[in-house]
Structures are given as structure tokens and as C-alpha cells.
Amino acid sequence: MEEMLLIAFDSTQQALRAEMLLEYADIDIDLCPTPKSITAGCALSIQFPQADYDQASSILKSEQVEIRGIYFKRDNEYVRMKE
């Protein structure tokens, strides 16, 4: 199974904006609830394949989308990626 990453946000507006931008770039995303272990101001997160990390990260930066962080799962816990 392909490794998935998770983007957490501080606002619903930024989550929906990121959803639109990533879908437009043909990145396979899934809107999902933010896990309780991640402290964020928004209940929505976006999951996407790790293979698309470079493209997704570039889009979020160039479009100045405000995110809480990008996380990966290790030993059943979410760990924030260093940027």
C-alpha cells in the first residue's frame, strides 16, 4: 500500500483552497477529519500520496496556502515533517 501524507490546517478556508489547488494539479487527495493527536484549528485535513509530496509542497508554497504542517504516520502516530 502506498504511503500517505496528511496536511493539517488552521482554517477551513485554507483547507478548501488547498483542496481546489491540489485537485486542479491532478494530485489524488482525500479530504478527511483531522486526527485528534494533531492540534490544529481546523477539523479538515487532506491526505495524499507521498509520491506527490514535492509537487504538493511546491503548490502550497507558491500559492501561499497557510498550513499547520505535513505529517506522516510512524508506529501509529503522526509525525510532522521537517520543512
Side-chain angles (χ1 to χ4, degrees):
M1 188 166 122
E2 187 170 18
E3 187 74 32
M4 299 296 280
L5 300 178
L6 184 109
I7 308 169
F9 302 90
D10 284 325
S11 78
T12 302
Q13 178 183 0
Q14 294 300 308
L16 297 176
R17 189 164 163 246
E19 176 190 28
M20 178 196 65
L21 292 166
L22 297 176
E23 282 180 341
Y24 185 75
D26 285 330
I27 295 176
D28 185 24
I29 64 167
D30 183 27
L31 210 55
C32 61
T34 301
K36 292 187 188 310
S37 62
I38 298 175
T39 304
C42 177
L44 294 175
S45 289
I46 293 176
Q47 279 191 322
F48 68 98
Q50 185 172 358
D52 292 325
Y53 171 77
D54 289 337
Q55 182 183 11
S57 180
S58 176
I59 290 168
L60 295 173
K61 284 179 185 166
S62 68
E63 296 297 325
Q64 299 177 351
V65 177
E66 297 173 22
I67 65 170
R68 166 65 58 157
I70 299 177
Y71 298 80
F72 64 95
K73 205 167 191 179
R74 182 189 326 145
D75 298 329
N76 247 3
E77 289 185 30
Y78 283 96
V79 178
R80 186 174 178 166
M81 296 183 73
K82 298 198 189 311
E83 296 172 28

